[in-house]
Amino acid sequence: QVQVVESGGGLVQAGGSLRLSCTVSGLTFAAVPMGWFRQAPGKEREGVSAIDWSGTIIYYGASVKGRFTISRDNAKNTLYLQLNSLEPEDTAMYYCAAASRTSEWYTLRSRDYNYWGQGTQVTVSS
């Protein structure tokens, strides 16, 4: 059974930073691409960032490029998202998800990701 568990969310002031973590079990973590998504109340789920299985190919959504950094530690089965220069518009539930190698994971569309966590809330105050 695949389990995806996010952590690290919280309340932070604008301009601050957070580091999200996502631990995965039940699949060969080092063999799958991973992604971060977010969803704010009343809005559609948005692709934030994606990374290939080796950690060498990375994509970012336009709204976070230059502020967020995705990384992974395959030895720890853990995905990370460093959030810097946070803005109130970044307030959302953040989700971690795993895709298959054969999917179009790099397009950051939710439908290409098979396994999802429950999310961790990030709230940025102005």
Side-chain angles (χ1 to χ4, degrees):
Q1 181 179 359
V2 178
Q3 288 192 316
V4 179
V5 180
E6 303 95 336
S7 62
L11 173 64
V12 64
Q13 287 189 331
S17 299
L18 282 174
R19 189 194 196 200
L20 307 183
S21 298
C22 170
T23 302
V24 180
S25 60
L27 57 73
T28 305
F29 180 76
V32 297
M34 296 291 299
W36 285 99
F37 294 79
R38 67 185 182 184
Q39 188 166 19
K43 294 189 176 181
E44 292 187 355
R45 187 167 295 187
E46 174 189 13
V48 174
S49 184
I51 187 169
D52 79 322
W53 44 92
S54 68
T56 56
I57 300 174
I58 290 172
Y59 296 91
Y60 293 101
S63 61
V64 307
K65 198 169 186 178
R67 300 188 298 122
F68 292 6
T69 303
I70 192 172
S71 62
R72 66 191 296 162
D73 186 336
N74 287 344
K76 295 182 178 179
N77 284 11
T78 302
L79 178 73
Y80 303 100
L81 186 68
Q82 179 68 39
L83 291 66
N84 295 332
S85 302
L86 281 161
E87 304 167 351
E89 294 73 24
D90 296 316
T91 295
M93 185 71 78
Y94 282 71
Y95 298 92
C96 169
S100 70
R101 284 196 180 197
T102 57
S103 72
E104 295 182 337
W105 58 271
Y106 43 86
T107 62
L108 285 170
R109 294 177 304 197
S110 297
R111 68 187 189 198
D112 291 309
Y113 288 75
N114 306 317
Y115 302 104
W116 292 80
Q118 294 300 307
T120 186
Q121 178 68 38
V122 171
T123 303
V124 184
S125 62
S126 57

